[in-house]
Amino acid sequence: PTTEPAPEPAGFWSRPPSAPIGGAWRVAIVGSGPAGFYTADALLKGSKDVRVDIFDRLPAPFGLVRYGVAPDHPEVKNVTERFTGIAASPRVRFAGNVRVGDGTASTVTVEELRGHYDALVLACGAEGDRRLNLPGEELRGVSSAREFVAWYNGHPDFARERWDLSRGETAVIVGQGNVALDVARVLAKRASDIAPTDITCAAVAALEASQIRRVFVVGRRGPLQAAFTTKECRELSALEGVRVRVELGEGALDALSESALEALKDDRPRRRAAELLRKLWLANGDGSGVQPLPSGEREVVLAFHLSPLRFEAAPAEGGAAGGAEGG
């Protein structure tokens, strides 16, 4: 089969390079996420003689705000109202479904854009994943948070993906940033509680069929170095029907001691985070060991001082991951 080049956006190449529009400068921005729109906003405010064209390979704008923010955090997405106002300016145009690159599937090349504009801004970010390079990473059921988040947010690249959450009762998340807690919250939350958000119907169906009852959020550093914010952790701990447990690891039980917290008296944000983790740790005894869960309840375990070593296949799952080993 042959690949037909994508059609050029009508009207964008109707003027020769640097042709004046009342003496205006023409700027092309590749990428319609926050970086692209904040750049456009700064250009418009900086001069009334600037015209901006924003390109994106996806049909809809707003990038990470649209496809990366958790669906139960609508207040974070309110910034799209500001972006919509920027796009409504008569000095701004948006062209979706435009792939900028050098391959045969590209709509336009960087050199072509440079030839038609006075300035070119690449604000498209990174689309790849940083692999762990661990044995078993290629197993079915092992994927990046970027892929999972894009799937439940309806990213076109993942619209046909299928996530089976009914095969086991345990999920493991490697990393302890805010995105890790977003994923843990989505997995632990009742499907009926998250269904009213703008999460996709496919994701709601998968969560309704989910058998996951325990989610481990694993990090190699200690609780005082965790990257997630106190707000995210507090929201997770407040979920109805979800118990949050803290595991410090052998030889690290003093990481949340009163003396450790006292050492943070001049660092209020970290001290608040440490106080919350200590409260969760003390609420579950010494925070160690898997404990039985009451019927219908789920658990999120914040496990510190652990590094993944390998992913192991489940014997009866035909090449799907059945566990993760850490040390």
Side-chain angles (χ1 to χ4, degrees), residues 38-83:
Y38 284 129
T39 299
D41 191 32
L43 288 168
L44 296 178
K45 290 177 178 178
S47 172
K48 61 181 177 59
D49 296 322
V50 172
R51 302 292 186 272
V52 178
D53 291 339
I54 303 175
F55 299 92
D56 202 294
R57 74 173 184 85
L58 298 177
F62 308 147
L64 190 63
V65 177
R66 182 183 293 272
Y67 300 116
V69 175
D72 55 350
H73 282 177
E75 72 283 354
V76 180
K77 298 187 179 186
N78 287 342
V79 71
T80 59
E81 296 178 7
R82 179 179 176 185
F83 296 163

Side-chain angles (χ1 to χ4, degrees), residues 80 103 159 179 202 205 257 327:
T80 59
V179 174
S257 65

